[in-house]
């Protein structure tokens, strides 16, 4: 089996892909590949049988999340849950959460408690037996394309329900397990650094040494995410390699232990450190590889690095069958395997700067399809930025943090000076990254790779790297161009597609509709609502960051040709200020009675956004799509009644977008346009009984109605009177509180409605 452990690992990958993509073709093709190699005498019988056995085992071992979800279709009634705490206690300034494993069902349940000022210290410990009174609920799920799916995220960890408890008195827990002592060490170290060091230093030390990045500023985390630098914030092979090297150096060079005994210390130290550092997949992968290498060396076996990586990959999935769904696990192994397969090419360069550039380039190319799948964006310049940032963290920040932790009990008066040195250097370097972000952030927003594109991409990438290794530069250049064409094909696909769409996003109690014209001739938004803060009444960025932006990016949209804002209410325009930071809005269209506040006016001037004011009977053409203004015809001194009402034809159907107009405005529209007929009506004011009158419906005769309304909203929308009126007029109603996002896909003069939920 030596030198061939990658074959069984590929068998496990084929089983995982068969489950994730609900297609057995992956495992069938793998079996055919095995038989071809065996027939050609390129594969031994033991390897083939082992690979087949592991493939079949993991095909039934790895869970199918959709099957689990179908089994957990409803929430459970309030009950007493008896189980054991099966995770560290995560505590922040606002909440406490942990996982219990219920004794009767053996299910994992997330327990969440939101703190208040009267709370006293708790005594929750890992491994404690708990009796918890609460109502198991299904976690909230994604309601829009591209939106983060919290339910799927918890399922990928084996967690089926969550319980939000109202008080600590509902948590009756006692006892602990042996592992609690290790988790307590981590908590003690985090608290120790917070007390001993300045806030800025302790935040970075806890993140880079102890795996607790919860205190890092949100804007810094987002900065690192934008530039594909997040791997530096997650403890991985780089961190483990540095701490092992540092520990080994200190033990040997200071004559504390012999080489043999130092290796045994590291063998026992690594699992402990993996737990103390938070136990993330990247930590276990790196720690397990070093641990396995040392053990194999002790037993005088000879395995290749690829063999060790493959064995670790199989063992980690065997120990945690849900880990295959972890994004960190996937990215970590993809990058490591890519670097191992290209080690000969990497070794061809002796100059350090070029070696780092090669590693940065290769790492980004290997994870590109996964990055686009999960985040829909790619920053090409991050390859160059990594060349500067990785050495800085590798040679200065991470070693300095480890040394600072070790020296802090003995440094005495020297400690503040060490902190000043670090903070001054680090502040300038982070400011440097912010400066680059300000002037050079031009990400590719090209949507997600399809499965077919992913297979083609990785196939070409392997051939490309093989030619680089063989120094066949001409062939490598051609395959590099082919890789570029694959990426361009994904990016340009919408520009060659005759299919257009209209999407009513489910943003709760608010409106946000996205119109995508065929051949990407135009992207139009009609309203971009947001929720308001209860504290100051200002719009919050949640809706934009969690719903609108992910949808736009998942569709490869970073440029909006026109944003129609119906009126000034936050639930229709509140996301606009946040949108200006990350999306190029070419034109904003409002009625002649729309009033911009001073703050928004300043942002619009800064963004150089074109403002177009329109009045009744105006025609606005985007691409070749015409929108007609049918209201307001006068200033009614009311934001709702002054809503911009638009009429257009899309996919063979006529559409009327009504904002929040009331029945008086409907009557005036009926008088002004007695022959107005529409196929699709955007129901005004979220289904309030102040709108959508019976006479109005009788005149315009819609066949379909789209209603944007929040689940269990406090306004009582939609009103029963409106629903009854729509039913009496035989109008097919789609509503976001029941169906999630509503989409209409069309080609030429024909189209079909789809809902996010069945």
């Amino acid at each position: 089996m030596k030198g061939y452990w990658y074959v069984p690992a590929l068998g496990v990958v084929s089983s995982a892909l068969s489950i994730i993509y609900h297609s057995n073709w992956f495992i069938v093709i793998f079996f055919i590949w095995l038989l071809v190699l065996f027939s050609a005498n390129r594969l031994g019988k033991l390897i083939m049988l082992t690979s087949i056995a592991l493939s079949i085992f993991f095909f039934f071992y790895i869970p199918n999340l959709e099957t689990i979800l179908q089994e957990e279709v409803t929430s459970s009634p309030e009950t007493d849950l008896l189980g054991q705490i099966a995770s560290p206690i995560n505590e922040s300034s606002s909440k406490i959460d942990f996982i219990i494993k219920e004794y009767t069902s053996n299910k994992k349940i997330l327990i969440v408690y939101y703190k208040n000022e009267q709370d006293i210290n708790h005594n929750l410990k890992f491994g404690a037996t708990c009796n918890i009174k609460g109502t198991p609920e299904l976690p909230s799920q994604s309601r829009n394309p591209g939106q983060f799916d919290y339910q799927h995220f918890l399922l990928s960890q084996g967690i089926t329900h969550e319980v939000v408890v109202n008080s600590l008195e509902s948590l009756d827990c006692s006892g602990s397990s042996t592992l609690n002592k290790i988790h307590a060490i981590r908590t003690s170290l985090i608290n120790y650094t917070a007390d001993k060091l300045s806030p800025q230093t302790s935040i970075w030390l806890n993140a880079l040494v102890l795996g607790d990045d919860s205190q890092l500023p949100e804007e810094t985390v987002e900065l690192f995410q934008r530039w594909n630098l997040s791997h530096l914030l997650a403890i991985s092979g780089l961190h483990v390699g540095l701490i092992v090297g540092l520990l080994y150096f200190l033990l040997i060079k200071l004559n504390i232990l012999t080489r043999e005994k130092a290796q045994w210390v590291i063998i026992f130290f690594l699992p402990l450190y993996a737990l103390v550092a938070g136990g993330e997949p990247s930590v276990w992968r790196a720690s397990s590889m070093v641990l396995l290498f040392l053990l194999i060396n002790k037993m005088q076996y000879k395995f290749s690095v690829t063999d060790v990586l493959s064995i670790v990959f199989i063992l980690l999935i065997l120990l945690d069958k849900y880990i295959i769904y972890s994004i960190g696990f996937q990215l970590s192994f993809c990058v490591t395997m890519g670097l191992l397969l290209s080690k000969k090419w990497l070794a061809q360069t002796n100059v350090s700067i070029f070696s780092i550039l090669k590693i940065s380039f290769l790492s980004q190319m290997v994870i590109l399809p996964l990055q686009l799948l999960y985040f829909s964006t790619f920053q090409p310049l991050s390859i160059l930025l990594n060349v500067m940032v990785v050495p800085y963290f590798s040679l200065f920040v991470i070693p300095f943090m480890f040394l600072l932790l070790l020296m802090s009990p003995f440094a005495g008066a020297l400690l503040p000076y060490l902190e000043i040195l670090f903070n001054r250097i680090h502040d300038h370097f982070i400011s440097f990254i912010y400066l680059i972000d300000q002037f050079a952030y031009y990400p590719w927003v090209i949507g997600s790779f399809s499965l077919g594109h992913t297979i083609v991409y990785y196939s070409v990438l392997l051939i490309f790297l093989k030619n680089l290794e063989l120094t066949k530069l001409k062939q490598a250049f051609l395959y590099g161009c082919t890789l570029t064409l694959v990426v361009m094909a994904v990016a340009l696909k919408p520009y060659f597609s005759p299919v257009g769409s209209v999407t009513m996003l489910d943003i709760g109690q608010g409106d946000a509709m996205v119109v995508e014209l065929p051949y990407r001739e135009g992207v139009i938004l009609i309203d971009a609502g947001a929720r308001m803060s209860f504290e100051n009444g200002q719009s919050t960025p949640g809706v934009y960051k969690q719903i609108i932006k992910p949808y736009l990016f998942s569709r490869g949209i970073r440029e909006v040709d026109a944003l129609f804002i119906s009126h000034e209410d936050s639930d229709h325009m509140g996301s606009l200020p946040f949108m200006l930071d990350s999306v190029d809005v070419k034109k904003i269209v409002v009625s002649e009675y729309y009033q911009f506040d001073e703050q928004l006016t300043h942002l619009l001037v800064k963004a150089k956004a074109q403002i177009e004011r329109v009045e009744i009977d105006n025609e606005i053409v985007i691409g070749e799509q015409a929108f007609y203004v049918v209201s307001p015809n006068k200033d009614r001194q009311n934001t709702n009644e002054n809503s911009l009402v638009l009429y257009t034809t899309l996919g063979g159907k006529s559409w009327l977008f009504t904002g929040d107009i009331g029945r008086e405005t409907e009557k005036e529209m009926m008088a002004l346009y007695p022959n107005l007929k529409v196929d699709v009506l955007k129901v005004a004011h979220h289904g309030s009984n102040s709108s959508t009158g019976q006479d109005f419906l009788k005149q315009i005769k819609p066949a379909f109605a789209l209603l944007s309304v929040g689940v269990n909203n406090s306004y009582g929308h939609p009103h029963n009177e409106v629903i009854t009126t729509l039913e009496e007029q035989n109008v097919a109603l789609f509503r976001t509180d029941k169906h999630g996002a509503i989409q209409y896909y069309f080609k030429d003069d024909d189209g079909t409605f789809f809902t996010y939920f069945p």
Side-chain angles (χ1 to χ4, degrees):
M1 292 288 290
K2 289 181 182 179
Y4 288 94
W5 274 100
Y6 71 91
V7 181
L10 287 175
V12 177
V13 171
S14 69
S15 299
L17 292 174
S18 294
I19 294 167
I20 293 170
Y21 287 101
H22 313 291
S23 173
N24 295 335
W25 277 108
F26 291 99
I27 200 168
V28 169
I29 292 172
F30 175 72
F31 286 168
I32 293 173
W33 179 66
L34 287 180
L35 291 173
V36 170
L37 292 179
F38 180 73
S39 301
N41 294 320
R42 296 178 59 186
L43 208 62
K45 185 181 294 184
L46 177 62
I47 300 168
M48 185 183 71
L49 293 177
T50 302
S51 300
I52 291 174
L54 285 174
S55 299
I56 295 173
F57 170 77
F58 280 100
F59 181 77
F60 292 100
Y61 180 71
I62 296 173
N64 186 324
L65 299 188
E66 288 195 8
T67 302
I68 296 174
L69 183 59
Q70 290 170 2
E71 293 173 354
E72 307 290 345
V73 292
T74 58
S75 301
S76 303
E78 185 176 50
T79 184
D80 287 335
L81 301 171
L82 184 62
Q84 186 179 43
I85 296 180
S87 75
I89 311 301
N90 299 314
E91 185 170 1
S92 66
S93 58
S94 59
K95 71 173 183 176
I96 301 171
D97 67 72
F98 57 90
I99 299 168
I100 69 162
K101 195 168 187 179
E102 195 181 15
Y103 288 138
T104 54
S105 65
N106 211 33
K107 292 179 179 178
K108 289 182 178 179
I109 299 175
L110 178 67
I111 309 298
V112 181
Y113 169 68
Y114 292 98
K115 292 180 177 180
N116 58 58
E117 295 179 356
Q118 289 74 37
D119 284 331
I120 58 174
N121 293 332
H122 62 80
N123 194 32
L124 299 168
K125 297 178 181 179
F126 184 93
T129 298
C130 294
N131 190 345
I132 301 172
K133 189 176 184 62
T135 304
E137 299 280 353
L138 288 175
S140 58
Q141 62 186 124
S142 160
R143 304 182 64 85
N144 298 275
Q147 184 181 358
F148 173 72
D149 195 330
Y150 182 60
Q151 186 178 84
H152 187 276
F153 171 72
L154 291 183
L155 280 176
S156 68
Q157 302 175 62
I159 302 170
T160 58
H161 291 79
E162 68 174 344
V163 173
V164 178
V165 296
N166 296 321
S167 69
L168 289 173
E169 295 176 356
S170 302
L171 306 174
D172 182 13
C173 300
S174 61
S176 64
S177 68
T178 305
L179 283 178
N180 179 66
K181 295 179 181 179
I182 298 176
H183 293 297
I185 292 173
R186 181 173 189 254
T187 302
S188 298
L189 286 172
I190 291 173
N191 292 335
Y192 168 79
T193 59
D195 293 336
K196 191 78 173 178
L197 306 173
S198 66
Q200 183 177 355
T201 309
S202 65
I203 284 171
W204 282 101
L205 192 152
N206 288 336
L208 299 175
V209 178
L210 302 175
D212 177 25
D213 60 2
S214 61
Q215 299 302 314
L216 281 173
E218 184 179 349
E219 58 271 20
T220 302
V221 174
E222 291 179 353
L223 175 71
F224 276 60
Q225 289 173 346
R226 285 197 298 273
W227 285 94
N228 303 332
L229 299 170
S230 297
H231 59 93
L232 294 171
L233 302 181
I235 296 179
S236 59
L238 172 64
H239 305 70
V240 172
L242 286 171
I243 192 172
V244 168
L246 179 63
L247 181 61
Y248 194 71
F249 175 82
L250 292 175
L251 292 175
I252 298 298
K253 293 299 179 181
L254 297 179
N255 293 318
I256 298 174
L257 294 174
T258 64
R259 190 181 302 271
E260 182 78 13
K261 290 181 179 179
Q263 289 178 356
W264 280 113
V265 168
I266 292 172
I267 287 173
F268 287 105
F269 168 77
L270 279 173
L272 175 65
Y273 177 67
L275 290 170
V276 170
E280 291 298 318
S282 58
V283 187
W284 280 115
R285 190 266 306 160
S287 301
S288 300
M289 282 191 66
V290 176
L291 184 64
L292 195 56
F293 262 120
L294 291 173
L295 290 173
I296 288 171
N297 184 58
K298 291 289 184 186
M299 294 183 287
Q300 296 185 340
Y301 287 114
K302 291 185 178 180
F303 280 93
S304 66
V305 180
T306 307
D307 275 349
V308 172
L309 180 66
S310 301
I311 293 169
V312 169
F313 176 78
I314 295 169
L315 288 176
L316 288 179
I317 299 176
L318 188 63
L319 292 172
D320 181 3
K321 60 186 178 182
Y322 289 96
I323 201 172
I324 193 68
Y325 292 102
S326 166
I327 298 176
F329 179 82
Q330 296 170 12
L331 295 176
S332 177
F333 271 94
C334 277
V335 170
T336 307
M337 182 59 77
L339 294 175
L340 289 178
L341 292 176
S342 307
K343 60 183 178 181
K344 292 183 180 179
W345 175 61
L346 295 173
Q348 292 171 5
T349 303
N350 296 322
V351 182
S352 298
I353 187 68
F354 290 119
S355 295
I356 296 171
L357 183 60
K358 278 186 172 183
I359 292 172
S360 178
F361 167 76
L362 184 59
S363 300
Q364 296 301 320
M365 295 303 291
V366 168
I367 66 171
L368 179 60
L370 287 175
Q371 179 157 349
L372 292 174
L373 173 65
Y374 293 119
F375 308 111
S376 303
T377 64
F378 173 62
Q379 172 53 275
L381 292 177
S382 65
I383 295 173
L384 297 177
L385 188 60
N386 267 272
V387 173
M388 293 181 281
V389 177
V390 171
Y392 167 72
F393 271 81
S394 304
L395 301 176
F396 173 66
V397 179
I398 298 174
F400 197 95
M401 291 295 97
F402 278 118
L403 287 171
L404 199 61
L405 180 61
L406 293 174
M407 293 172 58
S408 59
F410 319 106
L414 181 63
L415 189 61
Y417 295 100
L418 292 173
E419 286 196 73
I420 291 172
L421 171 67
F422 168 74
N423 288 330
R424 285 185 177 176
I425 296 174
H426 197 60
D427 285 348
H428 282 93
F429 194 86
I430 296 298
S431 298
F432 167 70
I433 301 177
Y434 272 108
L435 184 66
I436 292 177
D437 181 65
Q438 184 177 354
F439 293 103
Y441 183 62
Y442 297 103
W444 292 358
V445 179
I446 61 178
S448 300
F449 264 45
S450 67
L451 178 59
H453 281 118
T454 302
I455 293 172
V456 172
Y457 178 88
Y458 279 124
S459 300
V460 176
L461 180 62
L462 287 172
I463 302 172
F464 168 70
L465 294 174
K466 187 65 177 178
N467 279 283
L468 283 178
E469 180 185 317
L470 298 173
T471 63
K472 296 180 179 180
L473 299 183
K474 185 176 181 180
Q475 291 91 328
F477 176 76
L478 292 175
Y479 283 107
C481 292
T482 305
L483 273 179
T484 305
L485 290 174
V486 173
V487 178
M488 288 179 62
V490 176
L492 296 176
K493 183 180 177 182
Y495 296 89
F496 292 92
S497 173
V499 178
S501 65
V502 181
T503 302
M504 174 180 272
L505 294 172
D506 178 8
I507 67 168
Q509 195 71 7
D511 277 11
M513 301 189 72
V514 184
V515 179
E516 300 171 60
L517 300 179
Y519 304 106
R520 196 47 65 84
E521 291 180 346
V523 175
I524 303 107
L525 263 67
I526 301 174
D527 283 334
R531 299 187 185 97
M532 287 194 303
S533 168
F534 289 108
E535 296 177 358
N536 55 25
Q538 298 296 311
S539 299
T540 59
V543 166
Y544 177 66
K545 287 186 176 182
Q546 298 165 16
I547 300 174
I548 299 177
K549 180 180 176 181
Y551 176 77
L552 294 177
F553 280 22
S554 72
R555 301 288 296 172
I557 298 170
R558 195 167 184 258
E559 187 176 90
V560 173
D561 295 279
L563 167 59
F564 291 93
I565 303 178
S566 61
H567 60 292
E568 295 92 325
D569 289 357
S570 180
D571 60 336
H572 289 256
M573 56 68 61
S575 287
L576 173 58
F578 313 110
M579 186 180 299
L580 295 173
D581 285 337
S582 57
V583 175
D584 181 14
V585 182
K586 289 185 176 180
K587 180 165 59 176
I588 297 171
V589 184
V590 295
S591 80
E592 57 183 328
Y593 309 115
Y594 191 101
Q595 299 295 321
F596 288 101
D597 62 38
E598 184 177 345
Q599 183 179 3
L600 183 54
T601 300
H602 174 73
L603 291 174
L604 292 171
V605 171
K606 183 180 177 182
K608 298 179 181 179
Q610 177 189 350
I611 308 298
E612 182 175 346
R613 292 189 177 274
V614 294
E615 56 187 21
I616 194 167
D617 290 333
N618 279 175
E619 178 187 45
I620 305 97
V621 179
I622 311 296
E624 296 183 0
Q625 184 68 37
F627 291 83
Y628 301 92
V629 179
V630 294
S631 187
N633 66 326
K634 61 182 179 182
D635 187 358
R636 296 184 174 84
Q637 303 297 316
N638 181 285
T639 57
N640 286 344
E641 299 297 349
N642 280 344
S643 290
L644 185 66
V645 180
L646 302 170
Y647 173 89
T648 192
T649 302
L650 290 159
K653 289 181 171 54
S654 53
W655 298 68
L656 190 67
F657 303 95
T658 57
D660 277 355
I661 62 171
R663 295 192 179 187
E664 289 302 315
T665 304
E666 290 175 353
K667 290 177 181 179
E668 291 197 25
M669 285 173 53
M670 291 165 60
L672 288 169
Y673 303 99
N675 297 319
L676 179 65
K677 299 290 186 293
V678 300
D679 298 304
V680 185
L681 170 69
K682 199 290 294 187
V683 176
H685 208 174
H686 320 291
S688 166
N689 61 353
S690 63
S691 309
T692 322
Q694 188 175 42
D695 292 338
F696 181 62
L697 290 178
K698 284 182 178 180
Q699 178 166 314
I700 65 173
K701 298 185 182 302
F704 304 93
L706 308 184
L707 176 56
S708 182
V709 61
V711 178
N712 299 322
N713 64 86
S714 59
Y715 302 96
H717 295 162
H719 199 279
N720 289 334
E721 179 184 342
V722 174
I723 301 300
T724 301
T725 303
L726 289 168
E727 289 175 349
E728 290 175 350
Q729 299 301 315
N730 297 315
V731 181
L733 177 62
F734 297 100
R735 42 193 286 188
T736 57
D737 61 338
K738 291 188 175 182
H739 299 118
I742 301 155
Q743 295 184 288
Y744 178 74
Y745 284 98
F746 62 90
K747 181 180 179 182
D748 297 326
D749 292 332
D750 191 26
T752 306
F753 281 100
F754 296 90
T755 58
Y756 195 70
F757 299 142

